[in-house]
Structures are given as structure tokens and as C-alpha cells.
Amino acid sequence: MVMKVRDIMTRDVVTVREDAPVREVAQLLDERHISGLPVCDADGHMVGVISEFDLIAKPDAHSAGDAMTRDVISVMEDTSVDEVRYLLVQRRIKRVPVLRGQKLVGIVSRADLVHEIAQTWVCEVCGDHERGARAPERCPRCGAPSGYASVPTPPIGVA
Ligand SMILES: [Zn+2]
């Protein structure tokens, strides 16, 4: 069972247009407690990402388009969660936009991965994976009582 980006991504993504004033971007990040968001055109195509770092680093920028980063790493819906984990760790980024063609359909953040770790349980007898806030009392597949541990994620090898 390979978990895909579509299983864990946030679909309701806050975005801005290129002509949004930087103050508006700052207010969105501040109010929603997020560290960055995608910049999209009228067709929903992603043209960049603007983060708290961009706002701090480019004090002379007037609009999201001025301050955003254009060269953005993105993934697709069927990219594996493990690959996203690798990107977030190795590239030290905080979020990855999810594209279908050029269209933005979601975003995966570090918080989404943390949520996944918190919600995934694996049977120590048969290896069955279950999701939920708490470990199941019995394994629905093999019937073993408890024996659920939160999912061990394999370490990421240094390339
Ligand atoms: Zn089991």
C-alpha cells in the first residue's frame, strides 16, 4: 500500500493573484497561520509561490508577483508521500504545491505529513494499516488484539 499525495493533500488552498499587494499576502499568512501560499493566474495555473521568507527578503516589492519565487518544486497527485517527505527534508522546503497539468489542485505541507504520522497505525502481527485518531482495539484483518504501533517511517538516506 503506497500512500499517494492525493490521500493527504490539502485541497482547499488559499491562493493569491500576481497583482495582490504584499500587505494583503502578509495579512493572509498572518491570519491563517500559514508560512506561504501559491500565486495563481485567472485560469488557476500556478505561476509561483510567495512565502514569509519572500516578504521579509524583498521589502521593496509591491505585489505578490514582484516578491514571489517563480522556480517552484511541485508534485502530482499520484506522487508517493515518501517522495514528498524526501523533498521536504532534503530541499528544506515547507510545502509542495500539487499540480494537474499546470492547474493547482492542492498543497502538501509539513503539517500534512505530521498529521499522517499521527493518524496511521500498523498491526504488529499482520502489518495491516489503519487510520484514525486512536489505535483500533482489534485488527480488522487478522483479529489480533491491540498490537498497533504508530507507523514507523523509514529513515531517509542521504543521497
Ligand atoms: Zn493484523
Side-chain angles (χ1 to χ4, degrees), residues 88-117:
L88 295 183
V89 172
Q90 292 295 318
R91 308 298 286 263
R92 297 190 178 282
I93 50 181
K94 294 185 174 176
R95 73 204 71 74
V96 182
V98 184
L99 302 185
R100 186 184 300 152
Q102 281 186 291
K103 202 170 164 68
L104 180 81
V105 293
I107 199 161
V108 179
S109 68
R110 291 177 177 185
D112 292 318
L113 290 187
V114 170
H115 181 74
E116 194 50 40
I117 293 167

Side-chain angles (χ1 to χ4, degrees), residues 122-129 138-148:
V122 59
C123 175
E124 286 170 353
V125 177
C126 75
D128 179 51
H129 282 65
R138 292 193 159 271
C139 176
R141 199 210 279 173
C142 75
S146 67
Y148 272 79

